[in-house]
Amino acid sequence: MTDETPVCSAKGCREAAVWVLAWNNPKLHTPERRKTWLACEEHREHLSTFLGVRGFLKDVVALKDWRPDADS
């Protein structure tokens, strides 16, 4: 990993991210707004579940396929 390698958003994790979890809190964000968390393989399911039970999770995309200019 380098200083520019995206890392997992899970608390305390420093593994390389391979997934983008796009989410939105409808109480705070407009419907088209997408916030993102990054996830390693180990934490993808945990972070997806955390966002999903709150109704925030909108999409899970492989980091290599993510187009940040489409959503932010």
Side-chain angles (χ1 to χ4, degrees):
M1 277 195 325
T2 69
D3 288 341
E4 296 180 17
T5 301
V7 296
C8 182
S9 297
K11 185 175 182 177
C13 185
R14 302 307 301 158
E15 292 296 316
V18 292
W19 296 99
V20 176
L21 286 67
W23 63 277
N24 159 308
N25 180 341
K27 291 182 180 180
L28 302 175
H29 308 118
T30 58
E32 66 279 352
R33 175 89 188 267
R34 292 294 179 265
K35 302 289 284 180
T36 57
W37 281 356
L38 302 177
C40 64
E41 284 293 343
E42 181 181 349
H43 291 113
R44 182 185 77 134
E45 186 174 338
H46 171 74
L47 293 174
S48 294
T49 299
F50 180 89
L51 293 168
V53 298
R54 289 158 178 79
F56 295 173
L57 187 63
K58 302 300 178 190
D59 203 5
V60 177
V61 180
L63 181 59
K64 65 181 179 57
D65 297 331
W66 179 247
R67 302 291 175 250
D69 54 333
D71 299 303
S72 54

